[in-house]
Amino acid sequence: SQTIHQWPATLVQPVGSPLSLECTVEGTSNPNLYWYRQAAGRGLQLLFYSVGIGQISSEVPQNLSASRPQDRQFILSSKKLLLSDSGFYLCAWSSHAAYEQYFGPGTRLTVT
Amino acid sequence: QKEVEQDPGPLSVPEGAIVSLNCTYSNSAFQYFMWYRQYSRKGPELLMYTYSSGNKEDGRFTAQVDKSSKYISLFIRDSQPSDSATYLCAMEDTSGTYKYIFGTGTRLKVLA
């Protein structure tokens, strides 16, 4: 069966500090990978998605970036965090052969 | 107009009630429909998915899709306090974009 991991689970970072969130998927190959942000009381905002290694699509222009160094690894980064970057960050995956999307446990980021 | 509209609630019902959660959408290209349950501070969990109009049942849950009206529903029978969560609808147009559009979620509280 497939499993998706995210870490860390919670993070408190000062404004201007860098960020690296990691997501890995087990039990599948060549998944589509996604990063979402969920602000309190709001829906899911798609930040980045990747349909394969080296292929990253950005949905929202901001100070975040994503990379996919390995087939089942997806990393969300920032060089300098803003207060507005606070939120609940979710990684998700889907298969090219099916349309269901599965989410990881999330990382709660607070920028102070 | 948002592509997907979902009543944010909160919706409070007594234990044992039948719950109806709904989403409307505007893009007729949407073909694949999903419902997620999200507990507080957790990642969304895929509950039901369907690719066609009609009903799909799984235990106490029934997903209903009416493509002609661009309307989807999730029914929960014999609701339990453990069903208290936020329910998100999601859709994908199966055109190969691998992108999903989410409703903002309906917060449900089942009272014991």
Side-chain angles (χ1 to χ4, degrees):
Chain A
S1 64
Q2 298 84 16
T3 309
I4 180 168
H5 302 278
Q6 279 186 252
W7 63 89
T10 59
L11 193 58
V12 180
Q13 293 283 93
V15 168
S17 63
L19 173 73
S20 181
L21 303 182
E22 190 165 342
C23 170
T24 58
V25 181
E26 295 178 353
T28 188
S29 59
N30 194 29
N32 301 314
L33 295 171
Y34 307 81
W35 278 112
Y36 292 90
R37 179 169 59 203
Q38 188 176 38
R42 300 179 66 180
L44 290 167
Q45 179 187 28
L46 178 62
L47 302 175
F48 300 94
Y49 68 100
S50 170
V51 299
I53 293 178
Q55 300 178 62
I56 308 289
S57 296
S58 174
E59 288 296 298
V60 183
Q62 53 199 336
N63 67 319
L64 299 173
S65 62
S67 62
R68 184 169 177 172
Q70 299 181 44
D71 181 44
R72 290 169 291 174
Q73 184 184 29
F74 207 23
I75 296 173
L76 182 70
S77 303
S78 174
K79 292 182 179 177
K80 288 186 178 182
L81 283 168
L82 306 173
L83 284 175
S84 58
D85 291 324
S86 294
F88 192 42
Y89 287 82
L90 290 157
C91 181
W93 75 274
S94 68
S95 164
H96 288 269
Y99 293 102
E100 303 92 84
Q101 187 178 62
Y102 299 92
F103 285 84
T107 295
R108 187 158 303 277
L109 171 67
T110 302
V111 182
T112 60
Chain B
Q1 182 188 7
K2 291 182 179 179
E3 281 192 284
V4 178
E5 300 275 2
Q6 186 175 8
D7 188 331
L11 179 63
S12 293
V13 301
E15 183 177 357
I18 296 174
V19 176
S20 172
L21 304 165
N22 310 296
C23 286
T24 58
Y25 62 95
S26 58
N27 188 349
S28 59
F30 289 141
Q31 299 289 336
Y32 208 79
F33 306 91
M34 288 156 283
W35 285 97
Y36 290 85
R37 177 175 62 197
Q38 185 176 22
Y39 292 115
S40 180
R41 308 180 77 86
K42 302 290 186 184
E45 170 194 2
L46 181 62
L47 276 179
M48 304 271 299
Y49 57 91
T50 182
Y51 187 56
S52 59
S53 285
N55 294 350
K56 181 178 180 180
E57 190 174 318
D58 184 1
R60 296 184 297 111
F61 299 91
T62 299
Q64 187 176 81
V65 175
D66 182 348
K67 288 185 180 178
S68 62
S69 300
K70 298 190 183 69
Y71 190 87
I72 66 171
S73 299
L74 178 70
F75 298 97
I76 307 174
R77 290 182 299 281
D78 188 24
S79 56
Q80 303 295 309
S82 59
D83 295 326
S84 298
T86 297
Y87 290 80
L88 300 157
C89 64
M91 2 203 125
E92 206 268 356
D93 67 10
T94 69
S95 65
T97 63
Y98 301 108
K99 287 168 58 176
Y100 299 77
I101 307 299
F102 285 81
T104 52
T106 298
R107 191 174 157 204
L108 171 66
K109 189 165 186 179
V110 181
L111 305 171

